Amino acid sequence: MIKVAQFGEGGFLRTFADLYFETLNKEGGDYRVNVIKPIPFGTLDKFRRQGNRYHVILRGMKNGAAAEDVYKVNCIEKAIDPFNEYGEFLALARDKDLKIIVSNTTEAGICFNEKDKRGDFEHISYPAKLTEFLYERYKAGCGGVYLMPVELIDDNADNLRSCVSRYVELWGMEQGFKDWNEKNNYYCNTLVDRIVSGYPRDKRTEEHLTALIGEKDELMSVGEPFGLWVVEKKGDIEKYIKSGEHNINVIVTEDIHYYKRRKVRVLNGSHTNMVAAGLWLNKTTVEDCMKDNDILSFFDGTLKDEIIPFVSDNVKATAEFAQSVRERFFNPYLNHMLISISLNSISKWRARVLPSFKDYYAAHGKIPARLTVGFSYLMALYASISKEDGKYYANLPSGKTEFKDDGEYLAYFAANGGIEEFMSNRKVWGEDLGAYNGFTAAVLNNVAAIRRGEKLI
């Protein structure tokens, strides 16, 4: 038996990690997940009512056709509310069968707060709670565990380990525990990728999926068929985490950074490069863009010529991943709203697109045409921003829509700030984008053409 302590009861972990462990059980494994509620808010009543059983529905494209597959998840052994069942929480820490700790406490969950007090369990951070949990395990003379946070931050496990170490110091805990934590516990960085929409939001879909399941399920969760879990190889983790296709494609590797770069540049970068153009051309969702032949050609060409060649030497593997991204963007069930994806587009372009732009420029000595066009639509979008009644709006050809980003950027454009000056702002981009020969002139010419109603893709 392999027990898993899971900090977090939300839809992502249930549709991702728990479905993976359930799949391993169906393949002959014996995994039992114990869910721990990490914050006082909310209840576990739905778990109690349903005996910790629920369904996952994966909706997407299969062999070119829309498909809906239902999976029943039975691997959850207990759902623990540590704020009212602290004894159960400590008992799990002492369990000798416990081998894995998974967490998803949001990006802000992995943090250190020097004001956290030992024993004030309700108010301390997740890493502080984890420190208490591990200390109980240490006192019981148990072995170490594999910690696999899935929070979407770089080097998530390294950050979690650092936080635990700082709490050990802050609280003056004994050297023996410090040594035990450093030598026996393996903090494994991870990368996760699956779009999860959770419980259906509209009544029609809820009724349809309830009929598909065959019973009422207050915990049912919807996700896409694609799933990727990249886990850093440490210790004997491969005894417990099985690589390969187990509903989710799991990769245990010593080099997690390639997969991170691939996801950010190929999936997120292509998203970001397309969104502003899609909005300007009167599209609402990612699927709308993919069904437009001109935008699809723009999307494909950008990946093929300006992104894929610069991700790694293994161009074939990157191209295969890009093809999976293409299929995912066609998924009619995801309903990915462009206006939602456009949130904080400036910082997204810097993190997701600029690295590909720079690599192309270094390799060819000129700016990449399609990434430049995508950026031009982005600048046209921001240059259209106005402020009314304390809110910011993008004034698109199709009409006015509320727009959100860093207030400083929005205020700049609402006050008719210039594109050229903005592009040269090192605080925004980390460098002067005007230093790339011909880039500023191309963007200004493109934006002028966009404003005249010309279509650049």
Side-chain angles (χ1 to χ4, degrees):
M1 181 195 308
I2 299 171
K3 289 199 176 184
V4 179
Q6 177 175 297
F7 285 83
E9 76 279 19
F12 181 80
L13 283 176
R14 286 188 286 111
T15 313
F16 188 83
D18 296 339
L19 182 55
Y20 167 67
F21 294 123
E22 178 67 26
T23 302
L24 292 182
N25 285 346
K26 286 182 169 59
E27 296 169 354
D30 187 8
Y31 290 79
R32 302 185 189 181
V33 178
N34 287 256
V35 171
I36 302 166
K37 190 161 72 78
I39 57 176
F41 309 108
T43 72
L44 297 173
D45 292 347
K46 293 176 183 178
F47 287 86
R48 315 276 194 236
R49 285 195 290 269
Q50 298 186 183
N52 299 327
R53 307 293 184 260
Y54 67 95
H55 297 82
V56 169
I57 306 97
L58 300 183
R59 311 175 86 198
M61 304 301 291
K62 182 183 291 185
N63 299 322
E68 299 173 297
D69 295 319
V70 177
Y71 301 87
K72 189 168 185 177
V73 178
N74 300 292
C75 66
I76 295 180
E77 182 177 50
K78 292 181 181 179
I80 300 171
D81 178 354
F83 308 97
N84 296 300
E85 301 169 309
Y86 193 63
E88 291 276 356
F89 175 77
L90 295 181
L92 177 61
R94 297 190 297 265
D95 196 316
K96 288 181 169 56
D97 290 323
L98 180 66
K99 302 297 181 186
I100 300 168
I101 297 179
V102 177
S103 66
N104 188 26
T105 56
T106 78
E107 291 82 347
I110 297 181
C111 63
F112 172 80
N113 186 345
E114 62 182 9
K115 295 182 180 179
D116 282 348
K117 295 180 179 179
R118 188 176 177 188
D120 187 15
F121 190 82
E122 181 174 342
H123 301 104
I124 58 179
S125 70
Y126 160 59
K129 291 181 175 70
L130 176 64
T131 304
E132 295 273 28
F133 186 87
L134 293 173
Y135 184 66
E136 184 69 19
R137 187 167 183 81
Y138 158 75
K139 289 193 301 178
C142 296
V145 293
Y146 291 86
L147 296 103
M148 298 164 43
V150 303
E151 287 85 352
L152 294 175
I153 59 173
D154 288 339
D155 302 320
N156 45 21
D158 290 343
N159 279 280
L160 181 59
R161 178 180 55 198
S162 174
C163 288
V164 171
S165 296
R166 293 176 72 182
Y167 281 114
V168 172
E169 294 293 333
L170 177 69
W171 293 342
M173 304 172 88
E174 64 256 42
Q175 185 67 36
F177 173 53
K178 180 179 180 180
D179 294 341
W180 176 86
N181 179 54
E182 292 178 354
K183 295 176 182 177
N184 293 277
N185 294 321
Y186 292 95
Y187 291 79
C188 304
N189 294 308
T190 72
L191 170 70
V192 297
D193 190 1
R194 168 168 277 170
I195 297 170
V196 172
S197 55
Y199 194 87
R201 298 178 184 178
D202 64 280
K203 195 68 177 175
R204 184 176 178 181
T205 303
E206 179 186 4
E207 292 173 349
H208 165 69
L209 295 181
T210 298
L212 195 65
I213 292 170
E215 61 181 284
K216 181 176 176 59
D217 184 351
E218 296 178 284
L219 288 172
M220 70 169 154
S221 185
V222 178
E224 64 169 335
F226 180 90
L228 175 67
W229 197 354
V230 185
V231 181
E232 186 179 21
K233 183 178 180 179
K234 288 187 176 179
D236 293 326
I237 192 170
E238 288 174 297
K239 287 183 179 179
Y240 311 108
I241 298 299
K242 305 302 180 184
S243 297
E245 279 290 342
H246 306 279
N247 191 291
I248 292 168
N249 181 24
V250 176
I251 298 171
V252 179
T253 177
E254 294 177 352
D255 180 17
I256 197 171
H257 296 98
Y258 159 68
Y259 297 95
K260 171 74 173 179
R261 185 167 61 251
R262 187 179 75 174
K263 177 179 181 289
V264 168
R265 293 201 184 193
V266 174
L267 189 152
N268 303 124
S270 60
H271 240 174
T272 299
N273 192 58
M274 180 176 65
V275 164
L279 285 169
W280 200 271
L281 298 173
N282 199 26
K283 307 301 178 185
T284 303
T285 66
V286 170
E287 185 193 9
D288 292 338
C289 292
M290 300 303 283
K291 288 183 175 180
D292 182 295
N293 289 333
D294 291 333
I295 298 178
L296 179 59
S297 178
F298 174 73
F299 170 85
D300 287 338
T302 304
L303 279 171
K304 178 178 178 291
D305 299 329
E306 301 176 7
I307 295 178
I308 291 173
F310 308 104
V311 174
S312 81
D313 293 335
N314 193 345
V315 175
K316 182 175 182 292
T318 305
E320 290 172 353
F321 177 72
Q323 180 60 29
S324 73
V325 168
R326 192 180 193 272
E327 293 172 359
R328 295 167 72 186
F329 286 4
F330 270 108
N331 190 338
Y333 297 116
L334 290 181
N335 197 31
H336 249 186
M337 306 295 289
L338 296 178
I339 195 64
S340 298
I341 301 170
S342 69
L343 178 67
N344 297 328
S345 283
I346 297 300
S347 61
K348 285 178 179 177
W349 194 90
R350 174 179 173 177
R352 302 173 174 185
V353 183
L354 182 56
S356 296
F357 182 101
K358 293 170 69 172
D359 284 348
Y360 183 98
Y361 188 89
H364 297 284
K366 62 180 181 180
I367 58 175
R370 293 182 183 89
L371 292 180
T372 298
V373 167
F375 185 80
S376 300
Y377 273 104
L378 185 67
M379 289 296 96
L381 179 66
Y382 275 75
S384 78
I385 287 172
S386 61
K387 185 177 183 180
E388 299 176 35
D389 300 324
K391 295 181 179 181
Y392 293 95
Y393 296 88
N395 293 279
L396 300 166
S398 59
K400 184 171 64 176
T401 185
E402 188 175 356
F403 199 76
K404 296 181 180 181
D405 200 331
D406 186 294
E408 182 180 351
Y409 305 154
L410 298 176
Y412 174 85
F413 283 107
N416 296 315
I419 293 173
E420 183 172 1
E421 180 183 349
F422 191 71
M423 289 178 62
S424 66
N425 191 326
R426 293 178 179 272
K427 181 181 176 183
V428 176
W429 309 108
E431 58 183 292
D432 179 1
L433 297 184
Y436 296 99
N437 188 38
F439 189 36
T440 300
V443 171
L444 294 176
N445 288 335
N446 287 343
V447 171
I450 291 168
R451 287 170 169 167
R452 290 194 301 268
E454 296 179 25
K455 186 177 179 182
L456 304 187
I457 59 178

